[in-house]
Amino acid sequence: MIASHAVLTTATHDYRVSPMNSTVQTAPIVIEDDVWIGSGAIILQGVTIGRGAVVAAGAVVNSDVAPNSIVGGAPARMIRERIPSGGPVC
């Protein structure tokens, strides 16, 4: 699930090069199954969001998120582990 106003960006510029717009660095974003990305979260290039993870609203994710973890903040940090219940609700 990806909430409204989330940003997933797979490209950036190298700030060490002048002019900055002369370079483009790209890397894919991988989002595994059963993930929830909250409203306004920003996921940067090269990040993998592990299975069952939750990204809090407004978080800025610049590194991989472990499976079944809840992350938040800027930059995003682990808040706690998510312990899924018995299965999907029908």
Side-chain angles (χ1 to χ4, degrees):
M1 297 180 291
I2 300 176
S4 63
H5 306 290
V7 174
L8 289 81
T9 182
T10 59
T12 189
H13 297 281
D14 188 345
Y15 65 88
R16 299 166 295 183
V17 174
S18 184
M20 282 185 280
N21 67 354
S22 68
T23 62
V24 176
Q25 299 173 329
T26 62
I29 295 170
V30 176
I31 301 173
E32 296 182 350
D33 292 337
D34 195 29
V35 168
W36 182 8
I37 298 174
S39 181
I42 300 171
I43 314 297
L44 299 178
Q45 72 281 352
V47 167
T48 296
I49 310 292
R51 181 181 177 86
V54 175
V55 177
V60 178
V61 182
N62 63 358
S63 60
D64 292 349
V65 175
N68 293 312
S69 61
I70 301 171
V71 299
R77 300 280 187 245
M78 174 102 158
I79 296 171
R80 67 175 169 243
E81 185 175 356
R82 175 179 171 254
I83 302 171
S85 63
V89 176
C90 294

